[in-house]
Amino acid sequence: MLELSILWPSIANGLATGAIYALVALGLTLIYGVLHIINFAHGAALMVALYGVQLLFTRFGVDPYAAIVVLVPAMFGFGYVLQRFVIARASHGKDENILLVTLGIAIVLENLALVLFTADTRTIETRWSLATIDIAGAFIAVPKAVAFVGALAAAAILLALMARTDLGRAIRALARQRHGAKLVGIDVEHVFAMSFGIGLACLGAAACFLLPAYYVNPTVGNGFVLVAFTIVVLGGMGSFAGALVGGLLIGVVESVSGLYLGESLGQIGIFVIFLLVLMFRPTGLFGSKA
Amino acid sequence: MSSALRVAAPIAAFAALFALAPLAVASDAWLNFIVLALFGALMAQSWNVLAGFGGQFSFGHAVFFGTGAYAMAVLQVRFGVNAWVALPVALASGAAVGVFIGALTFRYGLRGSYFALATLAFAEIFRILANTFQFTGAGAGLQIPLTKSPATLQFDARAGYLYVALAFVVAGLAVAGWLKHSRFGAWLQAVRDNEEAAQALGVDVYRIKLGAIAISGATMAAAGAFYVQYLHYIDPALAYGPHYSVEALVGALVGGVGTVWGPVVGAFALHLLSDLTRNAFGDVPGVNLMIYGALLVLIVMFAPRGLAGLLAALAARLRGSK
Amino acid sequence: MTNHRNRYPARRKFLKQSAALSAGAATLAAPAVVLGQRPAAIKVGVLHPVTGALAVSGVPCREGALMAIEDINAAGGIKSMGGARLEAVLGDAQSQPQVGASEVEKMNEAGVAAIVGAYASSICLATTQAAARHGIAHIVDVGVADQIVERGLKNTFRFGPGYRTVTQVAMHNLHVLNTLAGKPAKTAMIVHEESLFGTGTANLLAKELPTYGFEVKEIVKHANPTRDFNNIVLRIKAVNPDIVIPANYYNEYALLVRTMRQQKVAPMAIYSVLGGAASNYRFVKEFPDAANGIIDVNHWFNPRDKRVPALRKRVESKGGFFVYEFFMNYTAMWLLADALERAKSAKREDIIAALESSTFANHIMPYGPTKFVNGQNQGARPLMTQVLRSDIKVIVPQEFREADPVFPWKA
């Protein structure tokens, strides 16, 4: 039952949704690639950023896209402090402890939001929230089309950051050779914290693009964590290009399998792809580490 | 042989202590607490077999929990099988799913975070499948009839459930003790510590890992089966959702991975913490869980080798200072 | 956005107030031993998922129950027991059945006379069972799964309707609406969430709709949460049904309807059964354009009851919305108070007996006099509402009609 008339819109929409996933995954892949930690608090951090965008809009009338200027540095700072003074201190560097610490942080953040904002879902309505643009017959919501461009831009910026700046070089060195990096005088703690900060800064951008098309409540992050992990592995842990391509791919897979198998069963497409990639190309599409 | 006694004696003491609990504890709320803490301990033990002794961290342990739960429920509801007969089938299903997942993941060399996330993917796949088919009740889930009769593995008095849970946990302790001191366990720990070296030394890594995941799967399935008998209802989100995956791993990590008693200590401590915070701060929703999360971070900060490690260190210091 | 912070201080104050009152009352009563002692407070368990995924519903549930206790006490408490006051014992089910069951155990030890809760069907299944063990009356506030009252538990009482009743009424009303308009609608498409509530409702609808002459062109199931409804809306566009029938929770419902509006998909009617946001004042306030015209068959209060406007105003002044979670619990607590009045005792078995024979009619719901058969209130029924001019009005049945239905809907 291939309705061609809705196959293209489905793909186009999948790409747009995938762009948001990619933005979320970009931060996660950096954090995993450098610090080798599975950040259980990633979803909660996204939630924090979303509340940030929502508050800026409702209290100060700041347009969500303008809010990027505020949110990206704010989330960066939050991430830096979190890694340097909480995660690093508490986990003593052991992987399994990091898991628990990020889990504890996630629980604290989620319930702090519950206490401060209650469980009510909050949305924002801007002039162009309901507008769509016509792309060859597919009506894509404007916020999503903007998110698509934003994701490309973010990936490009991150790649440039990694390749051109001293910080980027330090991060890459640290990711590859932790002990060697220390020996050449890289301040490991600082660079780790910077990486974590950049990872969360990506979420700040993601939130600005996501909220106009979605909503926020204390548990909103949970719906993205699994998909984000899938994309990170699919794209290759530590690869930005991988996160971008992986995100777009997963968005399309989700959309098209939803079309063929129904929305509920269609979710299975994501995980089957995930397992297949893991089995036959474990380093991911763009992964470099064996 | 004396090492076997050294392992068995505390387990026997533990069993005796909790077997007497229903006589000593009049409060139904406390008995319920013990039952749920034992249930948590069982799950943590299961996770510990694969992760602590085998070195394979799993993020989707609920895949085994749900399998055991659904096996129990489906056999009773759709086929009219007696619960006592369904129980070993549920355990076997858990082991079978373990072997299935292990065969796929270990054959393709998945390790570390890749393996962990793969188990998560499996849990999600099973959840979606359970949600799709009428056989498992789809979204509505399955409810087993309330009989309150030991003939169908249900009990009117809480003590009955306590003994069943206790039996499982004691078995889990025995398995852990066996893993710590047996040849199979030694091979498994060798694989955990350095898989390549173990392979070079002639250990059949693949089969050892399969054995570990089968045991782990069976014990987690036991927890799932117990849940169904205790609460009489299961649905895809409860069975395969992240909740029990997280409970299993947190209990083991907090208690101390790779130890015999860690999971039990961890599970009890966490349940106590959860109960206390809920009682003390239950008025404003969320405050108690914030405190729970913060305490979790603090526990890791001050007991990096888990609570069992902390207790062992304290014991060593006491012995040293004597 | 309204400030929700002032909701809590009111409640904490209430609890502190009631503690102060009872303390004060105790000291007053002490020297008044000649005049007769103040009766002991009657403890009532208030058990809801106020944290976790269901918190958004659990919190207004709790608030409804607490406001009722406040009102009952202010009106003189349980007069047949010397003005004994109700005292809430709060429980948090943390959105999980086993936690709910554990809270019941604690409430048992705290000496509660009865329990009101626990909102979600899966949690209610566990809590009613746990309460039955101790012979505690458990009034189910919402929990629409029919299994809850079909297990032969003597302690379980559900005041509101289950989804079988709701669906049957919904089908009948749709038929009435369609017939009156000249039968313009012939096809329907169901969009439901994948768990107990959505699946059960969808199954019943799929069975009943054809008997009324409707063709069910497609049934779409989706996950909780669903991040994007574009695909589903594309399908709706392709299938082009006359009526779209959603059965899901607030967030998904809102996203679906917004997406439909965005993609300019406008069927003859969006007709919900137990719609998550369809008869929710919050949704109407936040998305008046998307909400306009939506029909819902859901839990609703008696619009002719004179007490409702004042009650609604009190809730809204605290920053809340007058949602079904709130007034279902509010009424459930009054049902309990009535039972206590007739039982003249706080003993658990007496309360169960009083509930069994309850004829409670002085409530704000459109159920008429209460009558429990196997724990289900026979008079329980949903009402059909439509969002008209940014307000929610009852359109069917005639006896409660506040506005004429607009069917089919012209955007």
Side-chain angles (χ1 to χ4, degrees):
Chain A
M1 213 206 352
L2 199 152
E3 290 129 4
L4 281 156
S5 62
I6 60 174
L7 185 60
W8 161 241
S10 180
I11 292 176
N13 188 63
L15 284 170
T17 312
I20 308 252
Y21 294 161
L23 279 167
V24 176
L26 278 169
L28 194 61
T29 202
L30 175 62
I31 291 175
Y32 186 79
V34 177
L35 292 108
H36 299 290
I37 67 183
I38 304 242
N39 182 17
F40 271 156
H42 212 66
L46 175 65
M47 178 264 299
V48 168
L50 282 167
Y51 270 112
V53 180
Q54 197 264 343
L55 285 171
L56 283 171
F57 183 81
T58 51
R59 292 279 171 89
F60 304 106
V62 179
D63 182 272
Y65 296 139
I68 290 180
V69 177
V70 174
L71 229 41
V72 167
M75 288 301 286
F76 170 81
F78 178 53
Y80 186 96
V81 167
L82 206 60
Q83 161 61 23
R84 187 124 198 207
F85 301 109
V86 182
I87 298 176
R89 289 262 167 91
S91 59
H92 306 276
K94 286 179 73 187
D95 277 354
E96 51 260 30
N97 290 345
I98 294 176
L99 266 176
L100 278 182
V101 172
T102 53
L103 187 64
I105 292 172
I107 295 175
V108 171
L109 288 175
E110 193 176 302
N111 287 282
L112 180 62
L114 184 62
V115 172
L116 290 176
F117 305 115
T118 78
D120 295 328
T121 296
R122 295 168 189 234
T123 52
I124 62 175
E125 198 82 17
T126 59
R127 287 160 299 130
W128 31 261
S129 272
L130 284 178
T132 57
I133 81 173
D134 185 347
I135 304 183
F139 290 100
I140 302 296
V142 165
K144 287 180 139 184
V146 176
F148 185 83
V149 175
L152 290 170
I157 292 174
L158 283 168
L159 280 164
L161 184 74
M162 286 294 126
R164 304 281 172 80
T165 64
D166 282 340
L167 175 66
R169 271 186 278 275
I171 290 177
R172 276 185 293 140
L174 200 50
R176 216 159 277 240
Q177 255 295 4
R178 201 171 283 202
H179 294 299
K182 250 195 204 156
L183 285 173
V184 294
I186 292 177
D187 182 348
V188 171
E189 294 234 342
H190 173 71
V191 175
F192 274 159
M194 294 289 277
S195 308
F196 200 87
I198 296 174
L200 257 51
C202 292
L203 287 177
C208 294
F209 290 117
L210 178 62
L211 190 60
Y214 203 55
Y215 55 79
V216 62
N217 64 26
T219 55
V220 73
N222 298 339
F224 289 89
V225 172
L226 211 50
V227 180
F229 278 137
T230 307
I231 294 167
V232 166
V233 173
L234 178 67
M237 303 219 210
S239 159
F240 293 126
L244 182 64
V245 172
L248 295 174
L249 184 63
I250 288 289
V252 173
V253 167
E254 183 184 50
S255 200
V256 175
S257 33
L259 205 58
Y260 282 101
L261 299 171
E263 287 303 303
S264 188
L265 186 59
Q267 292 286 299
I268 234 177
I270 303 177
F271 302 108
V272 171
I273 298 269
F274 178 76
L275 285 172
L276 288 173
V277 171
L278 275 187
M279 292 197 287
F280 297 109
R281 209 187 147 77
T283 51
L285 296 170
F286 289 77
S288 49
K289 284 212 228 349
Chain B
M1 261 311 138
S2 78
S3 97
L5 209 63
R6 260 198 305 147
V7 169
I11 298 178
F14 173 83
L17 182 69
F18 280 95
L20 292 173
L23 301 169
V25 178
S27 154
D28 233 7
W30 274 110
L31 282 177
N32 180 55
F33 169 83
I34 294 174
V35 172
L36 289 176
L38 286 171
F39 168 67
L42 181 60
M43 293 192 284
Q45 283 176 320
S46 162
W47 196 84
N48 191 39
V49 166
L50 191 59
F53 291 107
Q56 315 293 324
F57 279 34
S58 127
F59 287 165
H61 230 60
V63 71
F64 307 120
F65 180 88
T67 301
Y70 269 112
M72 275 309 258
V74 167
L75 283 171
Q76 288 180 76
V77 171
R78 298 248 183 271
F79 298 108
V81 174
N82 178 276
W84 289 101
V85 176
L87 185 61
V89 178
L91 267 62
S93 315
V97 169
V99 169
F100 170 69
I101 292 178
L104 282 177
T105 52
F106 300 145
R107 182 116 278 164
Y108 289 95
L110 292 180
R111 293 204 269 169
S113 326
Y114 292 108
F115 173 78
L117 291 171
T119 57
L120 191 52
F122 273 111
E124 268 299 290
I125 290 176
F126 274 62
R127 187 188 64 78
I128 294 166
L129 289 174
N131 216 323
T132 308
F133 298 113
Q134 271 306 112
F135 184 63
T136 45
L142 289 173
Q143 200 184 355
I144 65 168
L146 197 61
T147 60
K148 294 203 226 164
S149 153
T152 54
L153 232 182
Q154 293 182 34
F155 304 94
D156 197 20
R158 208 165 295 273
Y161 284 110
L162 193 148
Y163 290 132
V164 172
L166 184 62
F168 277 127
V169 172
V170 167
L173 284 167
V175 167
W178 173 71
L179 282 174
K180 200 138 188 130
H181 300 278
S182 70
R183 205 153 34 147
F184 176 85
W187 287 333
L188 185 62
Q189 290 175 76
V191 168
R192 173 193 70 195
D193 294 334
N194 193 327
E195 193 164 316
E196 285 78 16
Q199 180 99 54
L201 287 170
V203 175
D204 188 342
V205 170
Y206 180 67
R207 266 193 37 203
I208 296 282
K209 280 160 72 167
L210 272 187
I213 200 171
I215 295 173
S216 188
T219 37
M220 194 68 175
F226 180 80
Y227 180 90
V228 166
Q229 297 305 112
Y230 198 44
L231 287 154
H232 307 94
Y233 174 75
I234 194 74
D235 72 22
L238 288 169
Y240 292 111
H243 182 79
Y244 290 112
S245 293
V246 172
E247 187 166 337
L249 76 86
V250 173
L253 285 176
V254 165
V257 263
T259 65
V260 173
W261 289 94
V264 178
V265 172
F268 270 82
L270 287 173
H271 270 264
L272 200 61
L273 188 63
S274 170
D275 251 36
L276 288 175
T277 52
R278 192 164 67 238
N279 284 344
F281 304 102
D283 270 10
V284 179
V287 171
N288 62 317
L289 285 169
M290 268 178 72
I291 295 176
Y292 177 85
L295 285 172
L296 201 61
V297 174
L298 288 173
I299 289 176
V300 175
M301 212 187 275
F302 294 109
R305 287 155 66 83
L307 290 174
L310 191 70
L311 290 171
L314 280 172
R317 204 179 300 170
L318 285 170
R319 251 184 272 126
S321 66
K322 264 208 213 127
Chain C
M1 299 288 143
T2 46
N3 181 359
H4 298 265
R5 235 179 278 233
N6 55 14
R7 266 199 259 180
Y8 294 119
R11 190 159 15 90
R12 270 195 234 125
K13 236 198 295 163
F14 152 72
L15 288 169
K16 277 210 204 98
Q17 247 174 11
S18 77
L21 270 173
S22 26
T27 50
L28 278 174
V33 66
V34 176
L35 298 161
Q37 281 177 316
R38 188 43 157 269
I42 301 171
K43 297 205 182 121
V44 179
V46 175
L47 177 58
H48 299 100
V50 293
T51 56
L54 299 168
V56 63
S57 290
V59 169
C61 281
R62 184 188 263 195
E63 295 184 346
L66 289 178
M67 188 177 279
I69 290 181
E70 198 178 307
D71 290 352
I72 291 165
N73 289 344
I78 308 297
K79 300 179 198 56
S80 73
M81 288 175 65
R85 308 186 103 74
L86 295 182
E87 183 185 309
V89 176
L90 298 176
D92 176 9
Q94 289 184 337
S95 303
Q96 296 161 51
Q98 104 214 27
V99 178
S102 303
E103 293 288 85
V104 170
E105 296 299 333
K106 294 225 199 84
M107 288 174 171
N108 172 46
E109 305 228 324
V112 298
I115 294 176
V116 173
Y119 178 69
S121 294
S122 57
I123 304 180
C124 288
L125 283 172
T127 54
T128 48
Q129 245 160 241
R133 224 181 251 275
H134 304 288
I136 305 176
H138 189 314
I139 298 179
V140 173
D141 53 350
V142 175
V144 292
D146 290 300
Q147 296 116 303
I148 296 175
V149 289
E150 287 170 358
R151 291 166 300 164
L153 290 179
K154 295 245 166 295
N155 70 322
T156 305
F157 298 93
R158 182 165 66 192
F159 192 53
Y163 66 60
R164 199 178 300 130
T165 307
V166 175
T167 319
Q168 280 162 355
V169 169
M171 287 303 89
H172 175 79
N173 288 359
L174 175 60
H175 177 70
V176 165
L177 212 62
N178 199 24
T179 310
L180 282 173
K183 294 215 175 148
K186 296 183 183 33
T187 59
M189 183 167 164
I190 304 172
V191 177
H192 71 96
E193 63 90 33
E194 65 184 6
S195 75
L196 177 58
F197 139 64
T199 313
T201 312
N203 287 342
L204 283 169
L205 285 170
K207 237 190 337 190
E208 304 273 315
L209 277 166
T211 67
Y212 287 100
F214 290 98
E215 181 198 343
V216 179
K217 294 200 92 170
E218 195 159 314
I219 302 180
V220 175
K221 177 163 81 162
H222 68 78
N224 275 333
T226 295
R227 294 171 290 268
D228 180 65
F229 274 90
N230 251 282
N231 258 356
I232 294 183
V233 173
L234 282 173
R235 286 203 91 91
I236 296 176
K237 224 185 206 169
V239 167
N240 197 18
D242 296 323
I243 303 178
V244 172
I245 307 182
N248 35 29
Y249 291 108
Y250 187 95
N251 294 333
E252 280 66 40
Y253 194 101
L255 259 178
L256 169 66
V257 169
R258 281 169 87 190
T259 312
M260 282 176 73
R261 194 168 162 75
Q262 190 166 54
Q263 298 281 337
K264 302 194 192 11
V265 174
M268 278 186 209
I270 296 179
Y271 185 90
S272 357
V273 179
L274 291 169
S279 52
N280 183 311
Y281 283 115
R282 173 185 210 113
F283 178 63
V284 172
K285 180 166 175 212
E286 290 186 12
F287 304 107
D289 291 329
N292 239 352
I294 293 181
I295 300 173
D296 192 14
V297 177
N298 210 331
H299 305 292
W300 201 251
F301 51 83
N302 179 355
R304 304 211 188 293
D305 195 299
K306 308 244 184 301
R307 295 168 283 190
V308 169
L311 192 60
R312 183 176 160 189
K313 216 182 260 168
R314 274 168 75 194
V315 175
E316 289 173 355
S317 72
K318 288 197 180 142
F321 290 92
F322 198 54
V323 289
Y324 76 85
E325 292 95 333
F326 186 94
F327 54 73
M328 297 292 278
N329 272 276
Y330 185 83
T331 338
M333 197 54 79
W334 276 99
L335 168 71
L336 178 63
D338 172 81
L340 283 164
E341 282 285 355
R342 286 171 33 247
K344 298 195 185 52
S345 130
K347 284 228 272 290
R348 291 170 178 175
E349 55 273 24
D350 295 337
I351 296 175
I352 291 181
L355 282 167
E356 259 170 24
S357 57
S358 176
T359 54
F360 181 50
N362 187 18
H363 53 73
I364 62 170
M365 301 302 285
Y367 302 161
T370 304
K371 180 177 161 70
F372 283 111
V373 172
N374 287 333
Q376 174 63 50
N377 180 13
Q378 298 300 294
R381 62 199 321 202
L383 290 183
M384 187 191 247
T385 60
Q386 187 167 27
V387 180
L388 295 165
R389 281 181 303 279
S390 302
D391 196 7
I392 304 175
K393 299 269 178 240
V394 178
I395 52 175
V396 176
Q398 188 83 2
E399 65 187 287
F400 297 112
R401 173 173 295 191
E402 291 179 285
D404 286 329
V406 179
F407 178 86
W409 181 257
K410 279 147 192 67

